[in-house]
């Protein structure tokens, strides 16, 4: 990756997208001792299973990419990206789907204005001074979900994915651990 390239990795659950993002970070860190990498984690531990999942991801990530620092930010993503972006620092965001969930269906408090948050994220991506790798789910490939709220979320995530893809130099769809390049730098 170049110093200001932005990549969006999307795919289904357990498609290999987070692992690919970690590989990008490991390669970035290995390329120069002056490089830094930070993960902005958006997950929130709302139940025991999610707490266990987060702990497992943290342990696995620490083993695979020991130099990757982690910052937990479930809502203020644009601000966190702006705060950590620097020419020698790669920022990984994992994951946009959970971030949108935190905005639109919070476990506590009122829903936030997703359109405003997405606009701020797009601006932060354009202003990023170092490489950015974003991870998100592609959930619109299956059957049409039952329930108005679920359909609205699938629609909102589809629009978010399109907006983020428009801001990125590279877009990669992950399936079965394999990358399919959808967009490359020109």
């Amino acid at each position: 990756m170049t110093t200001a390239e932005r990549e969006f990795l999307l795919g289904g659950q357990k498609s290999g997208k987070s692992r690919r993002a970690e590989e990008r970070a490991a390669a970035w860190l290995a390329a120069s001792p002056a490089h830094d990498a930070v993960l902005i984690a958006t997950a929130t531990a709302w139940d025991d299973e999610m707490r266990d999942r987060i702990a497992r991801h943290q342990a696995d990530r620490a083993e695979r990419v020991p130099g990757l620092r982690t910052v937990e930010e479930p809502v203020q993503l644009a601000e966190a990206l702006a705060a950590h972006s620097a020419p020698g620092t790669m920022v990984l965001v994992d994951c946009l789907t959970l971030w949108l969930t935190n905005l639109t269906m919070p476990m506590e408090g009122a829903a936030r204005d997703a359109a405003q948050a997405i606009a701020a994220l797009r601006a932060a991506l354009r202003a990023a001074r170092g490489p950015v790798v974003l991870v998100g789910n592609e959930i619109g490939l299956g059957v049409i979900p039952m329930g108005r709220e679920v359909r609205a979320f699938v629609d909102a995530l589809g629009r978010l994915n399109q907006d983020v893809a428009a801001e990125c130099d590279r877009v990669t769809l992950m399936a079965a651990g394999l990358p399919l390049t959808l967009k490359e730098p020109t």
Side-chain angles (χ1 to χ4, degrees):
M1 284 189 99
T2 62
T3 57
E5 186 174 305
R6 296 168 306 268
E7 181 174 10
F8 184 26
L9 300 165
L10 71 162
Q13 189 169 333
K14 294 298 178 195
S15 63
K17 57 195 180 299
S18 293
R19 178 73 56 104
R20 178 107 172 156
E22 292 171 3
E23 290 168 356
R24 293 284 201 232
W28 175 259
L29 289 168
S32 170
H35 284 173
D36 191 21
V38 61
L39 168 76
I40 301 173
T42 63
T44 55
W46 54 75
D47 62 21
D48 288 340
E49 186 275 334
M50 193 63 176
R51 273 186 281 287
D52 291 345
R53 181 179 288 255
I54 290 170
R56 190 173 55 253
H57 280 270
Q58 290 170 337
D60 291 348
R61 202 170 38 244
E63 186 176 310
R64 286 191 296 265
V65 191
L68 181 62
R69 294 182 294 120
T70 300
V71 173
E72 295 182 13
E73 181 45 65
V75 176
Q76 303 296 329
L77 183 54
E79 295 82 353
L81 177 56
H84 295 283
S85 179
T89 301
M90 175 181 278
V91 177
L92 274 63
V93 175
D94 197 353
C95 96
L96 293 177
T97 309
L98 289 173
W99 173 67
L100 185 63
T101 302
N102 295 335
L103 289 173
T104 60
M105 297 180 279
M107 295 302 285
E108 297 175 0
R112 298 175 191 251
D113 183 354
Q116 185 178 25
I118 292 167
L121 175 61
R122 290 183 78 171
L125 283 169
R126 286 190 296 272
R129 298 177 301 143
V132 180
V133 177
L134 304 112
V135 175
N137 291 73
E138 176 53 71
I139 64 172
L141 297 172
V143 297
I144 298 171
M146 305 253 324
R148 180 175 50 96
E149 292 86 6
V150 177
R151 284 190 302 275
F153 181 79
V154 171
D155 289 348
L157 181 60
R159 286 189 298 274
L160 170 62
N161 287 347
Q162 289 181 46
D163 288 346
V164 170
E167 298 298 339
C168 288
D169 306 295
R170 179 182 311 277
V171 179
T172 305
L173 178 65
M174 297 297 298
L178 301 173
L180 175 63
T181 301
L182 303 177
K183 179 182 177 183
E184 293 188 271
T186 54

